[in-house]
Amino acid sequence: QVQLVESGGGLVQAGGSLRLSCAASGRTFSTYYMGWFRQAPGKEREFVAAISRSGSIQDYADSIKGRFTISRDNAKNTVYLQMNSLRPEDTAVYYCAASGFGIGHSIASYKYWGQGTQVTVAS
């Protein structure tokens, strides 16, 4: 079992940057594919980014491609989401998730979820 704890959210002006972190418990972190999702008020949870177990492969939603970067440090059991050029429409609760199956965009692919961290982008 994996427990995930996100941090790094907050309030930022449009055009600014934030770096989210997701710390995982357990010694099997490197065996999981990791993803970031977000959920804005009144909207469904959506895929943001995912990364392979080694970190060599990343996948991004079109809406954030070129602005966000996902990375991981298996020695620290942590996955990151660097968010640049933030826009008001990026405002959401951001969740990290772990999958044993592969890089995927589907919520159903991910077995373990964190509690989320709020990101608010002011215009």
Side-chain angles (χ1 to χ4, degrees), residues 10-29:
L11 173 65
V12 64
Q13 294 293 315
S17 298
L18 282 175
R19 188 196 197 200
L20 305 184
S21 299
C22 174
S25 65
R27 293 176 288 181
T28 59
F29 175 73

PDB file of all heavy atoms in Angstrom, residues 10-29:
ATOM      1  N   GLY A  10      -0.957  26.831  -3.178  1.00  0.00           N
ATOM      2  CA  GLY A  10      -1.095  28.161  -2.613  1.00  0.00           C
ATOM      3  C   GLY A  10      -1.726  29.120  -3.586  1.00  0.00           C
ATOM      4  O   GLY A  10      -2.281  28.713  -4.608  1.00  0.00           O
ATOM      5  N   LEU A  11      -1.613  30.390  -3.248  1.00  0.00           N
ATOM      6  CA  LEU A  11      -2.158  31.475  -4.073  1.00  0.00           C
ATOM      7  C   LEU A  11      -1.010  32.124  -4.841  1.00  0.00           C
ATOM      8  O   LEU A  11       0.010  32.478  -4.246  1.00  0.00           O
ATOM      9  CB  LEU A  11      -2.858  32.493  -3.184  1.00  0.00           C
ATOM     10  CG  LEU A  11      -3.345  33.779  -3.858  1.00  0.00           C
ATOM     11  CD1 LEU A  11      -4.431  33.463  -4.876  1.00  0.00           C
ATOM     12  CD2 LEU A  11      -3.846  34.762  -2.812  1.00  0.00           C
ATOM     13  N   VAL A  12      -1.201  32.289  -6.147  1.00  0.00           N
ATOM     14  CA  VAL A  12      -0.164  32.878  -6.982  1.00  0.00           C
ATOM     15  C   VAL A  12      -0.836  33.765  -8.023  1.00  0.00           C
ATOM     16  O   VAL A  12      -1.981  33.517  -8.415  1.00  0.00           O
ATOM     17  CB  VAL A  12       0.695  31.778  -7.641  1.00  0.00           C
ATOM     18  CG1 VAL A  12      -0.138  30.924  -8.592  1.00  0.00           C
ATOM     19  CG2 VAL A  12       1.910  32.347  -8.333  1.00  0.00           C
ATOM     20  N   GLN A  13      -0.125  34.787  -8.465  1.00  0.00           N
ATOM     21  CA  GLN A  13      -0.635  35.658  -9.514  1.00  0.00           C
ATOM     22  C   GLN A  13      -0.487  34.981 -10.873  1.00  0.00           C
ATOM     23  O   GLN A  13       0.414  34.153 -11.082  1.00  0.00           O
ATOM     24  CB  GLN A  13       0.119  36.979  -9.511  1.00  0.00           C
ATOM     25  CG  GLN A  13      -0.103  37.829  -8.274  1.00  0.00           C
ATOM     26  CD  GLN A  13      -1.521  38.347  -8.169  1.00  0.00           C
ATOM     27  OE1 GLN A  13      -2.093  38.821  -9.150  1.00  0.00           O
ATOM     28  NE2 GLN A  13      -2.090  38.264  -6.978  1.00  0.00           N
ATOM     29  N   ALA A  14      -1.349  35.344 -11.781  1.00  0.00           N
ATOM     30  CA  ALA A  14      -1.243  34.818 -13.147  1.00  0.00           C
ATOM     31  C   ALA A  14       0.151  35.115 -13.693  1.00  0.00           C
ATOM     32  O   ALA A  14       0.694  36.206 -13.492  1.00  0.00           O
ATOM     33  CB  ALA A  14      -2.308  35.449 -14.029  1.00  0.00           C
ATOM     34  N   GLY A  15       0.707  34.126 -14.365  1.00  0.00           N
ATOM     35  CA  GLY A  15       2.062  34.232 -14.882  1.00  0.00           C
ATOM     36  C   GLY A  15       3.121  33.710 -13.934  1.00  0.00           C
ATOM     37  O   GLY A  15       4.284  33.551 -14.330  1.00  0.00           O
ATOM     38  N   GLY A  16       2.725  33.444 -12.700  1.00  0.00           N
ATOM     39  CA  GLY A  16       3.663  32.967 -11.706  1.00  0.00           C
ATOM     40  C   GLY A  16       3.892  31.467 -11.774  1.00  0.00           C
ATOM     41  O   GLY A  16       3.385  30.779 -12.673  1.00  0.00           O
ATOM     42  N   SER A  17       4.647  30.974 -10.794  1.00  0.00           N
ATOM     43  CA  SER A  17       5.029  29.560 -10.765  1.00  0.00           C
ATOM     44  C   SER A  17       4.793  28.966  -9.388  1.00  0.00           C
ATOM     45  O   SER A  17       4.828  29.674  -8.373  1.00  0.00           O
ATOM     46  CB  SER A  17       6.513  29.407 -11.118  1.00  0.00           C
ATOM     47  OG  SER A  17       6.789  29.861 -12.422  1.00  0.00           O
ATOM     48  N   LEU A  18       4.556  27.679  -9.381  1.00  0.00           N
ATOM     49  CA  LEU A  18       4.488  26.891  -8.155  1.00  0.00           C
ATOM     50  C   LEU A  18       5.098  25.526  -8.434  1.00  0.00           C
ATOM     51  O   LEU A  18       5.047  25.038  -9.566  1.00  0.00           O
ATOM     52  CB  LEU A  18       3.042  26.698  -7.687  1.00  0.00           C
ATOM     53  CG  LEU A  18       2.337  27.842  -6.962  1.00  0.00           C
ATOM     54  CD1 LEU A  18       0.882  27.463  -6.714  1.00  0.00           C
ATOM     55  CD2 LEU A  18       3.031  28.183  -5.670  1.00  0.00           C
ATOM     56  N   ARG A  19       5.612  24.918  -7.392  1.00  0.00           N
ATOM     57  CA  ARG A  19       6.119  23.552  -7.497  1.00  0.00           C
ATOM     58  C   ARG A  19       5.393  22.690  -6.482  1.00  0.00           C
ATOM     59  O   ARG A  19       5.529  22.907  -5.273  1.00  0.00           O
ATOM     60  CB  ARG A  19       7.623  23.509  -7.234  1.00  0.00           C
ATOM     61  CG  ARG A  19       8.244  22.143  -7.508  1.00  0.00           C
ATOM     62  CD  ARG A  19       9.609  22.058  -6.870  1.00  0.00           C
ATOM     63  NE  ARG A  19      10.416  20.974  -7.391  1.00  0.00           N
ATOM     64  CZ  ARG A  19      11.467  20.461  -6.757  1.00  0.00           C
ATOM     65  NH1 ARG A  19      11.821  20.940  -5.580  1.00  0.00           N
ATOM     66  NH2 ARG A  19      12.161  19.478  -7.294  1.00  0.00           N
ATOM     67  N   LEU A  20       4.646  21.746  -6.975  1.00  0.00           N
ATOM     68  CA  LEU A  20       3.963  20.808  -6.102  1.00  0.00           C
ATOM     69  C   LEU A  20       4.849  19.592  -5.851  1.00  0.00           C
ATOM     70  O   LEU A  20       5.584  19.163  -6.735  1.00  0.00           O
ATOM     71  CB  LEU A  20       2.650  20.353  -6.726  1.00  0.00           C
ATOM     72  CG  LEU A  20       1.657  21.447  -7.127  1.00  0.00           C
ATOM     73  CD1 LEU A  20       0.371  20.809  -7.647  1.00  0.00           C
ATOM     74  CD2 LEU A  20       1.383  22.396  -5.989  1.00  0.00           C
ATOM     75  N   SER A  21       4.735  19.064  -4.646  1.00  0.00           N
ATOM     76  CA  SER A  21       5.437  17.844  -4.289  1.00  0.00           C
ATOM     77  C   SER A  21       4.431  16.814  -3.794  1.00  0.00           C
ATOM     78  O   SER A  21       3.397  17.169  -3.218  1.00  0.00           O
ATOM     79  CB  SER A  21       6.463  18.106  -3.181  1.00  0.00           C
ATOM     80  OG  SER A  21       7.443  19.030  -3.595  1.00  0.00           O
ATOM     81  N   CYS A  22       4.764  15.568  -3.999  1.00  0.00           N
ATOM     82  CA  CYS A  22       3.933  14.468  -3.507  1.00  0.00           C
ATOM     83  C   CYS A  22       4.872  13.435  -2.905  1.00  0.00           C
ATOM     84  O   CYS A  22       5.630  12.776  -3.632  1.00  0.00           O
ATOM     85  CB  CYS A  22       3.106  13.869  -4.621  1.00  0.00           C
ATOM     86  SG  CYS A  22       2.178  12.395  -4.156  1.00  0.00           S
ATOM     87  N   ALA A  23       4.824  13.315  -1.586  1.00  0.00           N
ATOM     88  CA  ALA A  23       5.678  12.370  -0.888  1.00  0.00           C
ATOM     89  C   ALA A  23       4.933  11.068  -0.666  1.00  0.00           C
ATOM     90  O   ALA A  23       3.775  11.063  -0.219  1.00  0.00           O
ATOM     91  CB  ALA A  23       6.110  12.963   0.452  1.00  0.00           C
ATOM     92  N   ALA A  24       5.597   9.970  -0.980  1.00  0.00           N
ATOM     93  CA  ALA A  24       4.978   8.649  -0.860  1.00  0.00           C
ATOM     94  C   ALA A  24       5.626   7.856   0.267  1.00  0.00           C
ATOM     95  O   ALA A  24       6.839   7.932   0.480  1.00  0.00           O
ATOM     96  CB  ALA A  24       5.132   7.889  -2.168  1.00  0.00           C
ATOM     97  N   SER A  25       4.804   7.126   0.965  1.00  0.00           N
ATOM     98  CA  SER A  25       5.324   6.239   2.009  1.00  0.00           C
ATOM     99  C   SER A  25       5.687   4.891   1.393  1.00  0.00           C
ATOM    100  O   SER A  25       5.291   4.577   0.273  1.00  0.00           O
ATOM    101  CB  SER A  25       4.270   6.036   3.098  1.00  0.00           C
ATOM    102  OG  SER A  25       3.160   5.340   2.550  1.00  0.00           O
ATOM    103  N   GLY A  26       6.430   4.106   2.130  1.00  0.00           N
ATOM    104  CA  GLY A  26       6.718   2.760   1.665  1.00  0.00           C
ATOM    105  C   GLY A  26       7.991   2.673   0.854  1.00  0.00           C
ATOM    106  O   GLY A  26       8.540   3.671   0.401  1.00  0.00           O
ATOM    107  N   ARG A  27       8.434   1.436   0.640  1.00  0.00           N
ATOM    108  CA  ARG A  27       9.693   1.210  -0.061  1.00  0.00           C
ATOM    109  C   ARG A  27       9.484   0.784  -1.506  1.00  0.00           C
ATOM    110  O   ARG A  27      10.432   0.392  -2.162  1.00  0.00           O
ATOM    111  CB  ARG A  27      10.495   0.140   0.683  1.00  0.00           C
ATOM    112  CG  ARG A  27      10.962   0.605   2.051  1.00  0.00           C
ATOM    113  CD  ARG A  27      11.673  -0.512   2.794  1.00  0.00           C
ATOM    114  NE  ARG A  27      10.733  -1.528   3.247  1.00  0.00           N
ATOM    115  CZ  ARG A  27      11.102  -2.608   3.935  1.00  0.00           C
ATOM    116  NH1 ARG A  27      12.371  -2.821   4.202  1.00  0.00           N
ATOM    117  NH2 ARG A  27      10.199  -3.473   4.328  1.00  0.00           N
ATOM    118  N   THR A  28       8.235   0.870  -1.994  1.00  0.00           N
ATOM    119  CA  THR A  28       7.955   0.397  -3.343  1.00  0.00           C
ATOM    120  C   THR A  28       7.616   1.525  -4.291  1.00  0.00           C
ATOM    121  O   THR A  28       7.055   1.291  -5.350  1.00  0.00           O
ATOM    122  CB  THR A  28       6.785  -0.600  -3.307  1.00  0.00           C
ATOM    123  OG1 THR A  28       5.621   0.055  -2.762  1.00  0.00           O
ATOM    124  CG2 THR A  28       7.135  -1.807  -2.470  1.00  0.00           C
ATOM    125  N   PHE A  29       7.956   2.743  -3.948  1.00  0.00           N
ATOM    126  CA  PHE A  29       7.585   3.904  -4.763  1.00  0.00           C
ATOM    127  C   PHE A  29       8.051   3.743  -6.202  1.00  0.00           C
ATOM    128  O   PHE A  29       7.322   4.067  -7.135  1.00  0.00           O
ATOM    129  CB  PHE A  29       8.192   5.160  -4.146  1.00  0.00           C
ATOM    130  CG  PHE A  29       7.971   6.405  -4.951  1.00  0.00           C
ATOM    131  CD1 PHE A  29       6.717   6.996  -4.996  1.00  0.00           C
ATOM    132  CD2 PHE A  29       9.009   7.007  -5.648  1.00  0.00           C
ATOM    133  CE1 PHE A  29       6.497   8.150  -5.729  1.00  0.00           C
ATOM    134  CE2 PHE A  29       8.815   8.148  -6.381  1.00  0.00           C
ATOM    135  CZ  PHE A  29       7.557   8.738  -6.420  1.00  0.00           C
TER     136      PHE A  29
END
